[in-house]
């Protein structure tokens, strides 16, 4: 492929039908990551969603959010806060439970990771139902931070995550209409 050939980020995403179950189209982010041009385009496209914004902290959701949050935090010279599954962080944490399709889960972040009044951007690879990022936002707000934007590489619009996050500024690079 010639270096002058421009591609859209969608060109790097492989869609796998009927995974993990029949009727679902799985959007594979690993196909973006394993192509150096695709990965660069993904990071640049996400970072472009923050142009002109006043931001103090980048928060990233485990685990694929880390992949995109880290280079953006580095590029913008901002601290990176990790939002993790329960039991993974060594210091004092706050936690927030959220519902999954079957059951529930708990996210945690360090108590000292966001200070009152700080403007926080949450980054993840995908927005589906919005449950994970809503839980992340609640923790940031408990610590006194303000969630100024939520950005995602991909959005599965059919799962209505944007509706759940109606009070927030939500943006995605790619929007798929289905689930």
């Amino acid at each position: 492929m010639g270096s002058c050939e421009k591609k859209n980020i969608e060109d790097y995403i492989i869609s796998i039908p009927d995974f993990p179950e029949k009727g679902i189209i799985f959007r594979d982010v690993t196909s973006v990551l394993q192509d150096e041009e695709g990965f660069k385009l993904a990071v640049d496209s996400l970072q472009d969603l923050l142009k002109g914004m006043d931001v103090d902290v980048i928060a990233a959701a485990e685990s694929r959010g880390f992949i995109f949050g880290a280079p953006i935090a580095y590029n913008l010279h901002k601290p990176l806060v990790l939002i993790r599954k329960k039991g993974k962080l060594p210091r004092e944490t706050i936690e927030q439970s959220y519902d999954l399709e079957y059951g529930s889960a708990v996210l945690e972040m360090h108590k000292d990771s966001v200070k009152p009044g700080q403007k926080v951007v949450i980054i993840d690879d995908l927005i589906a139902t919005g449950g994970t990022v809503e839980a992340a936002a609640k923790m940031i707000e408990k610590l006194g931070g303000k969630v100024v934007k939520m950005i995602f590489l991909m959005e599965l619009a059919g799962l209505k995550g944007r509706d759940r996050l109606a009070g927030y500024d939500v943006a995605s690079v790619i929007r798929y209409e289905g689930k």
Side-chain angles (χ1 to χ4, degrees), residues 47-81:
Q47 193 169 311
D48 284 348
L49 297 175
L50 302 179
K51 271 211 169 95
M53 287 196 72
D54 183 15
V55 175
D56 299 313
V57 175
I58 302 296
E62 184 168 342
S63 64
R64 290 177 304 269
F66 297 175
I67 295 166
F68 299 108
I72 292 170
Y74 176 84
N75 290 340
L76 299 179
H77 198 69
K78 301 294 177 188
L80 177 65
V81 169

Side-chain angles (χ1 to χ4, degrees), residues 7-138:
K7 285 184 123 186
N8 295 319
I9 194 70
E10 293 92 331
D11 297 332
Y12 294 97
I13 293 171
I14 296 174
S15 295
I16 296 119
D18 299 323
F19 182 84
E21 58 190 57
K22 194 159 179 55
I24 302 286
I25 301 173
F26 186 83
R27 311 295 181 173
D28 185 12
V29 76
T30 65
S31 53
V32 176
L33 303 175
Q34 66 195 37
D35 183 292
E36 65 278 9
E37 294 304 323
F39 186 34
K40 182 178 186 329
L41 182 60
V43 171
D44 292 349
S45 299
L46 279 163
Q47 193 169 311
D48 284 348
L49 297 175
L50 302 179
K51 271 211 169 95
M53 287 196 72
D54 183 15
V55 175
D56 299 313
V57 175
I58 302 296
E62 184 168 342
S63 64
R64 290 177 304 269
F66 297 175
I67 295 166
F68 299 108
I72 292 170
Y74 176 84
N75 290 340
L76 299 179
H77 198 69
K78 301 294 177 188
L80 177 65
V81 169
L82 303 182
I83 298 163
R84 304 225 43 200
K85 294 180 177 96
K86 186 173 175 64
K88 302 283 187 183
L89 293 170
R91 293 182 284 114
E92 196 178 355
T93 60
I94 64 164
E95 65 178 49
Q96 181 69 47
S97 64
Y98 64 103
D99 292 330
L100 297 167
E101 197 174 352
Y102 305 104
S104 65
V106 178
L107 292 178
E108 288 184 325
M109 58 192 289
H110 281 133
K111 270 194 172 162
D112 63 358
S113 59
V114 173
K115 291 159 193 62
Q118 284 188 314
K119 295 181 252 345
V120 183
V121 170
I122 303 174
I123 298 179
D124 206 351
D125 70 319
L126 177 77
I127 176 174
T129 65
T132 306
V133 75
E134 181 186 42
K138 284 179 181 173

